Amino acid sequence: MKCHECRYLMFDYIDKKLSEPVIGEMEKHMEECPSCAERMAKLNRQQEEEKPSGLFWYLLMPSGGFKRFFFVGAIFTFILVLALISFQLKKPLFRLF
Ligand SMILES: [Zn+2]
């Protein structure tokens, strides 16, 4: 395998989209080629940093499915209504009565 092939395939390698023989060839190439190995290490590090983490992303990621989406929506609406009610009690926004 040549360097440009190896670099072209790196993103798929990180996403684990490659077949066993191609992965084997890439790993063999990276053992022999320090510049590709270093590039791969750098890419891996970047990937780790970009991976969203924490409760905020856990709740908002679309991969959570619609159940979670509606759950979060309900909580947000509840908080918004509470905020509006407390504001209304302090300084009336609307004339309800
Ligand atoms: Zn190389």
Side-chain angles (χ1 to χ4, degrees):
M1 186 177 274
K2 294 201 172 66
C3 281
H4 72 268
E5 291 176 284
C6 183
R7 283 168 198 207
Y8 178 76
L9 292 169
M10 274 178 187
F11 289 101
D12 290 340
Y13 180 91
I14 288 170
D15 291 339
K16 297 181 173 68
K17 284 178 189 162
L18 298 173
S19 61
E20 284 293 325
V22 181
I23 289 172
E25 268 195 66
M26 280 186 76
E27 281 169 355
K28 206 175 117 203
H29 174 83
M30 283 187 284
E31 271 171 33
E32 295 160 0
C33 177
S35 76
C36 280
E38 198 191 310
R39 203 185 170 94
M40 175 67 93
K42 211 170 165 185
L43 265 181
N44 262 321
R45 250 177 284 136
Q46 279 176 0
Q47 207 78 1
E48 283 300 313
E49 282 163 16
E50 279 168 17
K51 208 181 278 172
S53 59
L55 187 65
F56 181 76
W57 283 108
Y58 171 75
L59 289 172
L60 288 184
M61 282 302 274
S63 61
F66 276 100
K67 240 186 204 172
R68 193 197 291 165
F69 184 77
F70 282 121
F71 182 66
V72 173
I75 289 173
F76 270 48
T77 311
F78 183 66
I79 290 169
L80 187 71
V81 167
L82 273 185
L84 270 177
I85 288 172
S86 64
F87 200 80
Q88 170 79 13
L89 291 175
K90 263 192 208 161
K91 178 173 168 262
L93 281 176
F94 327 101
R95 283 174 179 275
L96 292 175
F97 307 108

